[in-house]
Amino acid sequence: MAVERILEAAAAALGACVVVDDLSWPHGESVVVGLQTRDGAEYVGKCHSQPSKFAAELDAYKRWAPALGPCAPQLVAADDAAHVLVLSRLRAHHLTIDQAVADTDVSAQAGELLRRWHEAQPGVVISGYASRQRARVEQWISRASPGLLTDAEQAFARSQVLVFDRQADPIGVPCHRDWQPRNWLIDDAGILSVIDFEHARVGPWHDDLHRLWWNEWRNRQAVPAAFFEGYGRAMNDDERAALIAASSIGHLCTVVWSDERGDDVFAEFGRRSLHAAMSANGY
């Protein structure tokens, strides 16, 4: 059904198309396929299962993705009723593991692209940020199935909100919120591009560092150093504390979200990251 909606939206914009490959992630939140027109031009079609994610990604393509120029897909067409996006297809491929975790040039490019993304619109103060984080913790704890979260895990997540109580409300910028190697593509010339904007919204700039901090950057110095050189500046102490606190809360959310979808692998990843944060904080 989703593929049919994609083909209908693509035909309205481009003429008849055929599906040439399946680009979907296993989580099932969206269906993504490669398309080809009769004259051989290639595009990407994406059908969202959740209207909110379709709206977020469409908005991001209209407002923020143009700041990346050719380093992001271009919006070709959108079908609001079907929740379908038709996008240009980048002539690039996913990174190798070595490129993702050790290539300082890739990291520098990722930092430079993120700066351009963050500067796509002026920053705004996020009023009541601490109370929002407190509500976020309680919402996800309440969603957890019985026995999924230990008392210690819940107490730790609640304790992290205290970091925000001690800080001023942060400046919000356009955030990708899934800035990690699986959403980076690289072409044969070594130029990096970025995809997948369905989680994008305004937030503190460190929101886009969470996944890198606990994965590619762990126990490495050269890679984050190259990233921040590309970005144009590093974090100060308050920003680092806020990143650790917000991402720690995010790990708990990941456990609950993954459990709801029966994704045991991602749930275990979230729990490992949560326990790493707890251990670093003496829990």
Side-chain angles (χ1 to χ4, degrees):
M1 184 66 176
V3 173
E4 292 176 0
R5 293 203 297 267
I6 291 172
L7 288 172
E8 289 175 2
L14 303 167
C17 295
V18 295
V19 174
V20 293
D21 49 2
D22 185 354
L23 307 173
S24 307
W25 291 113
H27 56 55
E29 292 292 307
S30 59
V31 173
V32 186
V33 295
L35 301 170
Q36 189 175 70
T37 63
R38 286 176 176 170
D39 62 2
E42 294 191 346
Y43 297 87
V44 170
K46 184 171 187 177
C47 182
H48 284 278
S49 62
Q50 297 185 40
S52 60
K53 289 190 175 180
F54 165 78
E57 188 155 33
L58 176 59
D59 185 58
Y61 270 112
K62 288 180 176 179
R63 292 202 292 162
W64 303 328
L68 302 184
C71 295
Q74 296 180 351
L75 178 66
V76 176
D79 186 323
D80 293 349
H83 307 141
V84 169
L85 300 172
V86 180
L87 310 166
S88 63
R89 184 161 189 173
L90 301 172
R91 295 183 178 276
H93 51 82
H94 286 282
L95 282 70
T96 66
I97 293 177
D98 286 344
Q99 289 172 317
V101 303
D103 191 319
T104 54
D105 179 66
V106 165
S107 291
Q109 288 190 65
E112 195 270 335
L113 286 176
L114 185 60
R115 176 186 57 77
R116 287 162 56 186
W117 180 267
H118 286 170
E119 292 178 351
Q121 75 175 36
V124 295
V125 175
I126 305 177
S127 300
Y129 185 75
S131 61
R132 294 187 189 191
Q133 290 296 315
R134 185 169 286 106
R136 179 187 179 207
V137 170
E138 297 306 324
Q139 175 192 9
W140 283 94
I141 287 177
S142 69
R143 283 174 57 168
S145 59
L148 178 66
L149 300 173
T150 67
D151 290 344
E153 290 167 346
Q154 296 177 47
F156 173 68
R158 289 181 170 122
S159 75
Q160 295 306 290
V161 180
L162 301 177
V163 172
F164 307 116
D165 287 332
R166 297 190 291 267
Q167 296 184 1
D169 287 332
I171 300 298
V173 297
C175 286
H176 183 281
R177 300 185 68 250
D178 199 13
W179 199 265
Q180 60 170 316
R182 80 169 192 173
N183 289 326
W184 304 344
L185 303 180
I186 194 164
D187 66 15
D188 291 340
I191 304 301
L192 203 68
S193 300
V194 181
I195 58 172
D196 284 356
F197 306 131
E198 63 197 56
H199 300 289
R201 69 182 184 211
V202 172
W205 76 286
H206 59 71
D207 274 4
D208 279 331
L209 307 181
H210 294 181
R211 296 186 185 277
L212 296 170
W213 181 269
W214 295 102
N215 293 281
E216 288 75 23
W217 291 359
R218 289 192 71 181
N219 302 318
R220 296 182 175 91
Q221 294 182 343
V223 173
F227 184 96
F228 287 120
E229 183 176 354
Y231 189 85
R233 76 173 183 89
M235 291 182 290
N236 59 36
D237 290 343
D238 283 347
E239 290 168 333
R240 188 176 297 104
L243 179 154
I244 294 172
S247 59
S248 297
I249 293 170
H251 299 326
L252 180 141
C253 300
T254 294
V255 172
V256 178
W257 184 91
S258 302
D259 178 69
E260 290 175 344
R261 287 155 179 79
D263 190 339
D264 294 338
V265 173
F266 199 39
E268 180 57 29
F269 161 75
R271 197 178 297 276
R272 286 199 308 269
S273 299
L274 177 60
H275 284 200
M278 292 171 67
S279 178
N281 283 269
Y283 273 74

